[in-house]
Amino acid sequence: MDRKQFLTSMLQAGTAICCCQASLGQGEAGQAGTGAEWIDGLEKRMKEGSRSPAWRRIEFAEGWVQRLLDNMDTMLDPQTRSDLMQACGRACYIQAFGIAPDEKPGPEVLASFVESGKDSGVRREGDFVYFQYDNVNPQGIGIPDGVCLCPFVESGPERLSATYCQCSAGYVKELFGRITGTPVAVEVLESVRSGGKLCRFKVNLHPG
């Protein structure tokens, strides 16, 4: 017997009708119309009520990601871990800003970017650009030192492998790839997750 048949039999027996009408009065039971409609509504409420609350789903996701990274650190070599997480960071950038345009930027775009970022610690030394996120998030809201700009890490798991920061390296890699129009390599110099005050990166404009 499925749930709908079970509920129907309860109503036909009379017990459920008396109990429900006593508790609902002129509420949903009186407004539902036919008994079948009321059963459909009750079944829907039962399904919705069985769902985990948002905080529980977030808590589960945080634990799952933490375990995933722990397993990656144990089972994968450093280069594979880096490549995998950087691919995730690139996908994150594309989700936010779309696919890169076909038109290639000129060298003045990189020069302008470095110049505009000097106050935030951006500088170029030959084939390398040193880039860091300052203490202002993308919405222009000031944040204290030691707060990660990734919404998952910002208030997420207390223990999370620094391997996760390679995701940010992939994000920066896609950013500078679009600025320069050529492939670049990115190294994480410092990150909040690894105990730093800021997230700093070294961008190789001409990787071998």
Side-chain angles (χ1 to χ4, degrees), residues 190-203:
E190 180 183 3
S191 71
V192 171
R193 178 49 57 180
S194 59
K197 291 291 186 180
L198 294 170
C199 294
R200 300 190 303 114
F201 306 89
K202 181 180 180 180
V203 182

Side-chain angles (χ1 to χ4, degrees), residues 68-150:
L68 172 65
L69 289 169
D70 288 345
N71 287 325
M72 287 172 57
D73 289 344
T74 301
M75 302 174 67
L76 303 178
D77 62 271
Q79 188 61 54
T80 301
R81 297 198 302 264
S82 177
D83 291 345
L84 177 58
M85 292 307 299
Q86 287 197 22
C88 291
R90 178 175 180 270
C92 187
Y93 191 101
I94 291 173
Q95 181 181 18
F97 300 103
I99 300 295
D102 294 332
E103 183 179 354
K104 300 298 182 182
E108 70 280 356
V109 176
L110 175 61
S112 176
F113 181 87
V114 173
E115 180 64 28
S116 64
K118 281 185 176 180
D119 292 341
S120 299
V122 180
R123 72 182 192 278
R124 178 174 181 176
E125 296 181 2
D127 287 342
F128 300 96
V129 174
Y130 294 86
F131 172 77
Q132 67 187 42
Y133 291 112
D134 60 16
N135 64 338
V136 178
N137 74 9
Q139 284 72 42
I141 304 173
I143 58 176
D145 287 344
V147 176
C148 184
L149 293 180
C150 174

Side-chain angles (χ1 to χ4, degrees), residues 9-84:
S9 65
M10 288 286 288
L11 283 175
Q12 290 173 343
T15 303
I17 294 177
C18 294
C19 293
C20 290
Q21 285 182 338
S23 60
L24 294 176
Q26 298 300 317
E28 292 186 52
Q31 299 173 2
T34 67
E37 291 173 350
W38 187 87
I39 293 172
D40 288 338
L42 177 59
E43 185 175 22
K44 180 179 179 181
R45 290 195 298 275
M46 290 171 64
K47 290 179 179 178
E48 290 297 319
S50 68
R51 293 182 60 192
S52 299
W55 67 266
R56 184 69 183 91
R57 295 196 295 273
I58 293 172
E59 184 181 72
F60 176 83
E62 290 178 350
W64 191 93
V65 172
Q66 182 172 296
R67 294 189 295 274
L68 172 65
L69 289 169
D70 288 345
N71 287 325
M72 287 172 57
D73 289 344
T74 301
M75 302 174 67
L76 303 178
D77 62 271
Q79 188 61 54
T80 301
R81 297 198 302 264
S82 177
D83 291 345
L84 177 58

